Amino acid sequence: MSNIGSYETRLRDFTWKMAEEELGYGKDGKYNLGYFCSDRICEIGNGTKVALVWEGFTGEVRRYTYDDLRIYSNSFATLLRQNGLLPGDRICVFMDRIPELYISFLGILKMGGIVQPLFSAFGEDALAMRLEDAKTKAILTTRKHLGKVRRIRSSLPELSLVIVVDAGEKPLEQGEIAFSMEKAVKNEHIQIATVGPETPSVLHYTSGTTGRPKGALHVHSSVIAQAITTKWVLDVRPDDIYWCTADPGWVTGTSYGIIGAWASGITQVVLDAGFSAHKWYAFIEKHRVTVWYSAPTAIRLLMKEGLDPVNKHDLSSLRHLASVGEPLNAEAVLWSEKAYGKPFHDSYWQTETGSIVISNYPGMKIKPGSMGKPFPGITAAILNPKTFEPINTVGTVGLIGLKPGWPSMFRMYWNNKETYDKKFQNGWYICGDRSSIDSEGYFWFVGRDDDVINTAGHLVGPFEIESALLEHPAVAESAAVGKPDPINMEVVKAFIALKPGFAKSEDLSMEIMNYIRKRLSPLAMPQEIEFVDSLPKTRSGKIMRRLLRAKEWGEEIGDISTLEND
Ligand code: PRX
């Protein structure tokens, strides 16, 4: 029997208050998310239980108990306080998937700071833009990424402290301090910052079509939704070995790779190594992983390797599989049944929703290709894109709308009320995705309602790429769109008009691609560049990205006057 039991019963009876009580949220005045992921688990008698099994790319394994999480996160909180950081300060974690990343995340929350996790593969421009926007006060990083921080530091007057968690003996520069989590004085007890359910906790940057990346601000009570969805959707149970393959630079890696896992008091495993089917299967076999939360791109890569590597490993420990981030093709669900004897369960949500809002639940009939049904406590509908009224006809495509008010919903875009306000229409939160519902209430994803590119489950904003392209000396005009890709769903393609005096060439293409990879990230790097004489524009001069995109996808272009507002 799954944790959720009967979906219909839960749908009928569930209230968020119940989830709050189940977690003991707010009991004895305790609201701090960091506390719920470490100290609380120790208080209920599980301090010696393993919380994290970490494996590095060389095969080295380290284990941390809940007591370790509690004590080491105390050390981080103390360090930050001793260095003058205050509750509400934005503190960035910018590291590969090392234990310090996961544990400092809790430490920041325990001193009342707002954690700003950023993907360690971000280049200087991507990093600077987000630190600048959040007016980040401190950043925790490693030697490997320190060069990027140093190169942008002079443009970030608010960034007063850089903490290097693996500094070793080599000297640091002014304004940088070395901190070794494992060598630091152990703090059994600290005063955990007093927060309320609505105190800001995590600031996650996400991309939109226009403008710069937006910081979605979450609050401490998000843990109520993250814990109950971990239990009911991911079906995590006390003895599970749970593996969430996402990087904490993205919301899946924090909501379910840190918060949901540890608030549930289970053992989670982390692999800090690149992808290979063999490596992943060996990891599952070695650590006896039971619950596996991954993404369609990874599943497609595994499918590409076929059944041979599957048969070479003992994957019998797996009990429940789930996926998020992009549409999960029906073939992937059917293949996983064949390969692992279990289907992947699709789940749908966003940085802004903070937790899973639509999903296929354990025990419920899976319809391969469908995202499933709304989580109990979430009211979801398909809305008419013009009136924002629910469409009640089966199979009609419209916008996914959610009734605001669940605990893990974002509370604002940092410093960007205007964009935040636009996300709400007629009393609904507009996700920005198109879908339909079938006669049994299952949601079928159709596509995004904007120009954001979803590559390997990660959103990349065209504007950010285009702005960086324009800084290249050869580029006069550019447009970035998603083009279909069999593995990553979409990859970035850039259309570029060159400045006079520059001629198109393979070398120039490569140079521009690398320029973007270095400045933004490998995900934002165009996989293809098409040089054009000029770009299609509206009468008011706006580049018609959708026209270019439609061509890549072989879609009907139709009446172009409706594609962009003139
Ligand atoms: O377009 C949808 C797609 O990813 C977007 C959210 O991206 P992000 O905020 O980065 O969060 C990703 C992980 C929660 C959505 O608006 N998306 C997410 N899950 C699915 C999906 N598209 C189709 N099917 C899904 N299951």
Side-chain angles (χ1 to χ4, degrees), residues 73-266:
S73 59
N74 283 351
S75 307
F76 274 111
T78 306
L79 167 84
L80 295 166
R81 280 181 175 151
Q82 283 171 348
N83 281 280
L85 288 148
L86 298 171
D89 283 346
R90 276 76 59 211
I91 302 171
C92 172
V93 284
F94 186 57
M95 301 175 219
D96 295 348
R97 298 179 207 192
I98 56 173
E100 284 84 346
L101 167 62
Y102 295 79
I103 299 174
S104 64
F105 183 96
L106 302 185
I108 295 168
L109 294 168
K110 283 167 80 170
M111 56 71 67
I114 301 176
V115 197
Q116 182 189 19
L118 291 179
F119 186 40
S120 62
F122 274 155
E124 288 153 38
D125 287 9
L127 178 65
M129 209 181 284
R130 290 159 175 85
L131 296 178
E132 211 270 318
D133 189 70
K135 305 263 177 288
T136 309
K137 286 276 170 57
I139 183 166
L140 291 99
T141 191
T142 55
R143 284 263 178 209
K144 183 175 164 192
H145 300 290
L146 186 57
K148 292 186 275 191
V149 178
R150 283 181 177 166
R151 285 192 289 276
I152 58 175
R153 195 133 180 226
S154 61
S155 67
L156 299 165
E158 311 276 341
L159 187 68
S160 56
L161 185 65
V162 177
I163 298 168
V164 187
V165 300
D166 63 348
E169 299 303 313
K170 276 200 275 169
L172 292 171
E173 293 181 0
Q174 214 201 341
E176 296 171 353
I177 58 169
F179 178 74
S180 161
M181 174 178 92
E182 304 204 5
K183 290 195 193 133
V185 178
K186 299 211 172 5
N187 289 290
E188 272 292 333
H189 300 286
I190 61 159
Q191 182 75 38
I192 295 176
T194 307
V195 299
E198 289 298 310
T199 306
S201 56
V202 181
L203 182 63
H204 257 299
Y205 275 76
T206 181
S207 296
T209 312
T210 53
R212 308 202 145 220
K214 303 160 289 180
L217 185 68
H218 290 277
V219 296
H220 281 259
S221 57
S222 70
V223 65
I224 298 169
Q226 288 144 345
I228 193 72
T229 47
T230 300
K231 187 169 175 185
W232 286 2
V233 185
L234 305 180
D235 205 37
V236 162
R237 305 174 192 177
D239 293 330
D240 272 321
I241 306 292
Y242 167 75
W243 185 26
C244 169
T245 62
D247 188 295
W250 312 104
V251 74
T252 310
T254 57
S255 285
Y256 294 100
I258 300 181
I259 305 170
W262 285 342
S264 310
I266 48 136

Side-chain angles (χ1 to χ4, degrees), residues 206 251-252 323-328 346-352 371 431 433 445 448 454 457 459:
T206 181
V251 74
T252 310
S323 161
V324 65
E326 12 155 4
L328 181 65
D346 196 8
S347 66
Y348 166 88
W349 56 292
Q350 308 180 304
T351 304
E352 288 85 345
M371 304 194 292
C431 295
D433 289 309
F445 185 83
R448 288 195 58 95
N454 187 334
L459 301 188

Side-chain angles (χ1 to χ4, degrees), residues 157 184 212 376 441 489 498 514 518:
R212 308 202 145 220
M489 188 171 94
L498 292 171
N514 278 319
K518 222 166 148 260

